[in-house]
């Protein structure tokens, strides 16, 4: 799938078939995330892969999106390494770019995924479930991944180009 097609057809997927996602697919998704730009090439992203049903269930209870996390075959928890960061806004943007690359990669591979950030309200508990130090690793988003049980139609945008372009000089 070419890049523009992936961008224009990707959608957030919140329902999964139960079909298994391979370790190789998970690795490819993470490798795509690692190709995101990062200021000073600090690459602040760190990942915890969660397949264990008990841990996955415990993490799912920490968000209002419980069923989404429980239904996914694998969770990829995306953390920011505070020891390599240098500017919170820039590093947060880097994490966002990393997450978007991961969502696009999953879509291009025929998988469904979604970016769950609401769970940050329990970020330290997620870190503990993943066995990582919450002081060093700031949990940014959880990305549930699986084979989509939803329509392949992308979600329409609410605004047109004319509405979002606010200036031309």
């Amino acid at each position: 799938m070419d890049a523009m097609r992936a961008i224009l057809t990707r959608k957030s997927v919140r329902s999964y078939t139960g079909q298994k996602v391979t370790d190789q697919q998970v690795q490819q998704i993470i490798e795509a995330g690692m190709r995101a730009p990062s200021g000073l090439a600090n690459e602040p992203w760190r990942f915890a892969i969660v397949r264990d049903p008990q841990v996955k269930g415990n993490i799912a209870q920490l968000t209002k999106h419980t069923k989404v996390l429980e239904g996914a075959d694998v969770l990829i928890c995306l953390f920011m390494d505070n020891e390599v960061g240098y500017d919170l806004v820039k590093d947060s943007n880097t994490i966002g770019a990393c997450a978007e690359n991961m969502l696009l990669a999953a879509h291009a591979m025929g998988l469904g995924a979604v970016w769950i950030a609401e769970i940050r309200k329990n970020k330290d508990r997620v870190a503990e479930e993943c066995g990582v130090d919450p002081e060093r690793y700031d949990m940014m988003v959880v990305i549930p991944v699986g084979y989509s049980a939803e329509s392949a139609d992308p979600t329409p945008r609410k605004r047109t180009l004319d509405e979002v372009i606010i200036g031309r000089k």
Side-chain angles (χ1 to χ4, degrees):
M1 181 180 302
D2 75 9
M4 280 305 291
R5 182 164 183 256
I7 291 166
L8 295 175
T9 62
R10 188 208 68 79
K11 67 181 272 182
S12 295
V13 173
R14 296 174 179 85
S15 180
Y16 309 95
T17 66
Q19 183 179 346
K20 298 297 179 194
V21 175
T22 68
D23 289 338
Q24 181 182 13
Q25 288 171 311
V26 172
Q27 273 188 234
Q28 288 178 320
I29 291 168
I30 291 172
E31 287 173 359
M34 293 172 61
R35 299 302 302 172
S38 65
L40 302 178
N42 68 339
E43 301 177 357
W45 43 72
R46 301 294 183 267
F47 309 90
I49 300 165
V50 179
R51 288 187 179 275
D52 179 277
Q54 181 66 48
V55 177
K56 192 169 67 163
N58 292 346
I59 292 171
Q61 296 305 311
L62 300 174
T63 175
K64 68 181 183 180
H65 303 288
T66 303
K67 291 190 185 316
V68 177
L69 273 64
E70 288 176 339
D73 184 53
V74 63
L75 305 180
I76 303 174
C77 301
L78 176 51
F79 293 84
M80 182 167 54
D81 186 345
N82 292 319
E83 289 188 8
V84 302
Y86 75 98
D87 180 279
L88 183 59
V89 172
K90 289 180 181 180
D91 292 333
S92 296
N93 288 339
T94 290
I95 295 297
C98 173
E100 180 64 8
N101 277 8
M102 294 170 70
L103 295 175
L104 288 167
H107 174 60
M109 292 188 301
L111 298 168
V114 63
W115 163 339
I116 304 290
E118 175 268 346
I119 198 169
R120 274 189 52 81
K121 68 183 184 221
N122 290 311
K123 64 183 184 159
D124 290 350
R125 291 177 60 198
V126 174
E128 290 166 11
E129 285 292 333
C130 292
V132 301
D133 176 8
E135 294 296 316
R136 177 171 178 180
Y137 301 106
D138 189 4
M139 197 286 302
M140 302 299 284
V141 298
V142 174
I143 300 175
V145 181
Y147 282 88
S148 178
E150 300 177 11
S151 158
D153 297 332
T155 305
R157 297 293 96 180
K158 293 179 180 178
R159 292 177 176 66
T160 66
L161 279 174
D162 288 338
E163 292 174 298
V164 298
I165 298 171
I166 59 171
R168 293 182 194 260
K169 301 261 179 189

